Amino acid sequence: MDSRVEIDEDTENDKGSMWVLDQKLDQPMDEEAGRLKNMYREKKFSALLLLRLAFQSLGVVYGDLGTSPLYVFYNTFPSGVVDDPEDVVGALSLIIYSLTLIPLLKYVFVVCRANDNGQGGTFALYSLLCRHAKINTIPNQHRTDEELTTYVRSTFHERSFAAKTKRWLERYALRKNALLILVLVGTCMVIGDGILTPAISVLSAVGGIQVEHPHMSNEVVVIIAVIILVGLFSMQHYGTDRVGWLFAPIVLLWFLLIGGIGIYNIRKYESSVLKAFSPVHIFRYFKRRGKDGWTSLGGILLSITGTEALFADLSHFPVSAIQLAFTVVVFPCLLLAYAGQAAFIMNNKTNVVDAFYRSIPESIYWPVFLVATAAAIVASQATISATFSIIKQALALGCFPRVKVVHTSKKFLGQIYVPDINWILMILCIAVTAGFKNQSQIGNAYGTAVVIVMLVTTLLMILIMLLVWRCHWILVLIFTSLSLLVECTYLFAVLFKVDQGGWVPLVIAAAFLLVMYVWHYGTVKRYEFEMHSRVSMAWVLGLGPSLGLVRVPGIGLVYTELASGVPHIFSHFITNLPAIHSVVIFVCVKYLPVYTVPEEERFLVKRIGPKNFHMFRCVARYGYKDLHKKDDEFEKKLFDSLFLFVRLESMMEGCSDSDEYSLYGQLTQQSRDGLLDNNGNSISSNMDPTISSVDSIVPVKSPLNVNNTVSSSGQGSAQTEIDELEFLNSCRDAGVVHILGNTVVRARRDSNFYRKIAIDYIYAFLRKICRENSVIFNVPHECLLNVGQVFFV
């Protein structure tokens, strides 16, 4: 302890304190002094790492927000500044306070803190809410899911305002569906961003050619932009891992250039624009321009586009790095860039259309043009990647048809590529670029998509602040009032421009919303049908060990969406075929409202029926960022978990309390809840059908000291274990067959017109064109057995 006191005293000294500390830390010392040394080095390393991550975040997170100066003033004054030049100061004041209130205060310092273990985006917020309230519309949750290390949630008192909010949300299915639709609307608008951002960014950047070559037609500019877009989308399958290291230097150079050009223009043209920092000019702007000032907000709104992509791309970097990059580099450079353009426009009122490029000093025009084009491509790439990420999240939560997801990087799990979505985005992006041919109409469409996403985030944040953060209602009211005041103002402004291009994101969102909601609706109805048509354990036990059939050597993996009970596909299979495999394993691959499930917690294993039935259930759990990878590891890990379960089960056979506890001492709650009898059947006939029955699934984790424990559990149990393991190995060597249900879902005859349209036509069409389960699960074609069945929902 003496060394600790000496070091603490030395660190309070001034100039020589660091040297003295290093000298003492390099000498022999006790454990406490060593701990202080590690803390000191850790802090130093963390500071350097934070700076590095802040630098890298520029290329991934801020590309979209940084390219906004290319087109903001043109969309604000599409006809030029025809009246008072002071209108430019009013517009600049609106831009300054929009950047301050939305990106800086709301997103960087509030919304980014509402991440799901580092994951951002609309579905990340929804997943966070699903863990704090029972609002998940697919009832495949199991109590053991809450024991995951990544299943983090807070608890609150039953009489608290958070508990009242939770009960209010859970009380009616209509509220759960309304929340889901809200999330889907936000997701569809993000997809719209993925279409509109590349269009407006690339077209605006390439449009700078006309400044030096004024005789070049718009058609040529559009063709060049389309060529760049085709190249951009065609390169997506390579991923950003190989060229990602270029993104941060390009965007940093871009911010430094626009900031420097801004300073140059302020000094050269009109330094009085700095008075725009006074909010009184906003009042004067609306007073002078009236309705025109109100509709011009659609152009001002473009100054904060890319803010939602900032939150969606949060998973790559810690919040502190993003906050540092924004406050030190992005925010001041953007303010200087807009102020510089405003100063230029006040002296060149007719050059609003291409104000950015005309304000560039002639000596550096072409280098800036090249950097602007590169920055536009980086911004487009960031938005496309965010779109892929949110599609993957929607897919995992049962809200999007099955599509192929490819990992493009061995180092970074979040870098993915979705081929089907990529080509759809490319076609729509080219259609928007070639169809509108000018920035103004694309800007109107872009603004509509952005403001709706922001409104969705605000509404979700209200629930996050109440349920997760448990904030005082006054703080929630302040946040909500300020956010809605700004965002609803912008929303009403862009509604005036629906007929001038604003209809595009609405149509795109409506199409994707229809697809996503109908798919989710069909998935829920199919799951409910499977839940109600489960085979009773009494029927299975009545078949006897042979299941009334010939048991042939081998293992049958029966895939099902049920995490408990025997699925209907099993009874359909054995009533139509005279044989079944010696070992039957019901495999359920399900996704949970968590960002990832650790490998050691991936599988849950349970035995079904007596030992001589050789029937098991294995639940493979994934988070919305995980991918069911194409390799042999899944099958190998499944069998490793099964063998470990057999050893642990044999070890616990002699324990008198094994029926009440799992093999790791976790309560099954069977006796307390009274939900199951000894055979696993549901006792309560009026149990809520939306809640999965409690099943004694045993989590298989790290096999610590298993061999030592088994050797002490009795010779008889050990011998039984060895016999069963040898039997399982011999069956595995005989062959593994994957049995999947080839299900046709149809609406019942008494269904209403809308359900018949949704199920018999839209859902049936989506199932026909989407990927098969065998492709998603990477099942070898030669080992696949499909079982046809019809579900009437």
Side-chain angles (χ1 to χ4, degrees), residues 552-682:
V552 297
I555 295 180
L557 299 180
V558 182
Y559 287 82
T560 174
E561 295 181 4
L562 296 181
S564 61
V566 178
H568 179 264
I569 183 178
F570 179 70
S571 64
H572 187 68
F573 180 83
I574 64 176
T575 53
N576 287 276
L577 289 176
I580 192 67
H581 299 88
S582 299
V583 177
V584 177
I585 304 175
F586 297 104
V587 180
C588 172
V589 178
K590 72 172 183 177
Y591 287 86
L592 303 176
V594 295
Y595 75 103
T596 187
V597 175
E599 284 288 340
E600 63 273 12
E601 301 178 69
R602 175 84 68 210
F603 295 97
L604 298 177
V605 179
K606 182 212 172 188
R607 185 186 295 277
I608 299 178
K611 282 191 175 183
N612 54 359
F613 277 55
H614 301 298
M615 295 173 64
F616 302 89
R617 173 178 295 108
C618 180
V619 180
R621 305 177 294 180
Y622 292 85
Y624 54 80
K625 295 289 285 185
D626 294 330
L627 183 67
H628 192 80
K629 291 182 286 188
K630 183 178 181 180
D631 53 21
D632 298 329
E633 289 297 311
F634 175 77
E635 189 174 305
K636 178 180 179 297
K637 290 177 180 177
L638 187 151
F639 286 118
D640 288 345
S641 299
L642 176 63
F643 296 153
L644 178 58
F645 170 80
V646 172
R647 291 197 295 269
L648 294 174
E649 184 187 45
S650 177
M651 174 191 74
M652 295 296 292
E653 268 187 343
C655 298
S656 59
D657 59 350
S658 60
D659 291 334
E660 296 296 326
Y661 290 83
S662 74
L663 300 185
Y664 285 91
Q666 297 164 325
L667 284 171
T668 61
Q669 297 181 346
Q670 292 179 12
S671 59
R672 285 187 293 167
D673 296 341
L675 294 175
L676 302 176
D677 60 17
N678 293 331
N679 293 326
N681 295 319
S682 175

Side-chain angles (χ1 to χ4, degrees), residues 202-271:
V202 174
L203 188 61
S204 301
V206 175
I209 298 178
Q210 292 179 305
V211 174
E212 289 292 313
H213 300 279
H215 300 295
M216 182 178 291
S217 64
N218 285 333
E219 286 73 16
V220 176
V221 174
V222 170
I223 291 173
I224 296 173
V226 168
I227 291 172
I228 293 175
L229 289 172
V230 170
L232 174 65
F233 283 101
S234 299
M235 299 294 288
Q236 289 300 311
H237 68 280
Y238 291 111
T240 58
D241 194 20
R242 297 180 182 178
V243 295
W245 60 274
L246 280 172
F247 288 177
I250 289 173
V251 177
L252 178 61
L253 179 60
W254 168 251
F255 277 118
L256 295 178
L257 280 173
I258 62 175
I261 293 170
I263 295 174
Y264 169 82
N265 287 325
I266 292 171
R267 294 186 61 183
K268 181 179 179 180
Y269 294 105
E270 191 68 61
S271 60

Side-chain angles (χ1 to χ4, degrees), residues 446-731:
Y446 195 18
T448 304
V450 168
V451 72
I452 292 176
V453 176
M454 290 180 178
L455 278 169
V456 170
T457 301
T458 298
L459 296 176
L460 291 176
M461 278 300 301
I462 296 172
L463 296 176
I464 293 290
M465 295 178 77
L466 291 173
L467 289 177
V468 183
W469 292 352
R470 291 169 291 172
C471 296
H472 196 278
W473 65 270
I474 294 179
L475 292 176
V476 179
L477 183 63
I478 293 172
F479 172 83
T480 306
S481 302
L482 289 176
S483 298
L484 292 182
L485 176 65
V486 177
E487 291 160 6
C488 288
T489 302
Y490 278 126
L491 177 64
F492 293 135
V494 298
L495 288 179
F496 283 105
K497 298 186 177 182
V498 169
D499 60 334
Q500 302 173 34
W503 57 270
V504 173
L506 300 179
V507 172
I508 294 173
F512 276 97
L513 179 62
L514 179 66
V515 169
M516 295 174 74
Y517 187 76
V518 168
W519 181 265
H520 181 77
Y521 177 77
T523 302
V524 170
K525 292 302 177 183
R526 178 181 171 183
Y527 185 87
E528 290 176 352
F529 181 89
E530 288 203 54
M531 282 285 293
H532 289 99
S533 61
R534 288 182 301 176
V535 179
S536 68
M537 279 302 300
W539 183 80
V540 175
L541 294 174
L543 296 175
S546 67
L547 299 178
L549 306 166
V550 177
R551 302 294 291 264
V552 297
I555 295 180
L557 299 180
V558 182
Y559 287 82
T560 174
E561 295 181 4
L562 296 181
S564 61
V566 178
H568 179 264
I569 183 178
F570 179 70
S571 64
H572 187 68
F573 180 83
I574 64 176
T575 53
N576 287 276
L577 289 176
I580 192 67
H581 299 88
S582 299
V583 177
V584 177
I585 304 175
F586 297 104
V587 180
C588 172
V589 178
K590 72 172 183 177
Y591 287 86
L592 303 176
V594 295
Y595 75 103
T596 187
V597 175
E599 284 288 340
E600 63 273 12
E601 301 178 69
R602 175 84 68 210
F603 295 97
L604 298 177
V605 179
K606 182 212 172 188
R607 185 186 295 277
I608 299 178
K611 282 191 175 183
N612 54 359
F613 277 55
H614 301 298
M615 295 173 64
F616 302 89
R617 173 178 295 108
C618 180
V619 180
R621 305 177 294 180
Y622 292 85
Y624 54 80
K625 295 289 285 185
D626 294 330
L627 183 67
H628 192 80
K629 291 182 286 188
K630 183 178 181 180
D631 53 21
D632 298 329
E633 289 297 311
F634 175 77
E635 189 174 305
K636 178 180 179 297
K637 290 177 180 177
L638 187 151
F639 286 118
D640 288 345
S641 299
L642 176 63
F643 296 153
L644 178 58
F645 170 80
V646 172
R647 291 197 295 269
L648 294 174
E649 184 187 45
S650 177
M651 174 191 74
M652 295 296 292
E653 268 187 343
C655 298
S656 59
D657 59 350
S658 60
D659 291 334
E660 296 296 326
Y661 290 83
S662 74
L663 300 185
Y664 285 91
Q666 297 164 325
L667 284 171
T668 61
Q669 297 181 346
Q670 292 179 12
S671 59
R672 285 187 293 167
D673 296 341
L675 294 175
L676 302 176
D677 60 17
N678 293 331
N679 293 326
N681 295 319
S682 175
I683 295 175
S684 175
S685 60
N686 58 355
M687 187 180 69
D688 186 354
T690 64
I691 302 175
S692 300
S693 61
V694 178
D695 210 343
S696 56
I697 299 177
V698 178
V700 175
K701 299 183 180 179
S702 179
L704 300 175
N705 300 323
V706 167
N707 293 331
N708 294 334
T709 312
V710 168
S711 63
S712 62
S713 64
Q715 189 66 31
S717 298
Q719 186 60 43
T720 304
E721 169 208 327
I722 294 172
D723 292 342
E724 185 166 19
L725 290 176
E726 289 178 353
F727 176 75
L728 291 174
N729 273 313
S730 64
C731 291

Side-chain angles (χ1 to χ4, degrees), residues 400-412:
F400 204 86
R402 295 184 298 268
V403 291
K404 184 179 181 181
V405 179
V406 180
H407 269 293
T408 58
S409 172
K410 295 180 179 179
K411 299 178 182 177
F412 305 104

Side-chain angles (χ1 to χ4, degrees), residues 17-30:
S17 61
M18 194 62 69
W19 181 85
V20 173
L21 181 62
D22 287 339
Q23 291 294 315
K24 292 181 184 290
L25 293 176
D26 288 335
Q27 296 174 0
M29 62 191 71
D30 62 10

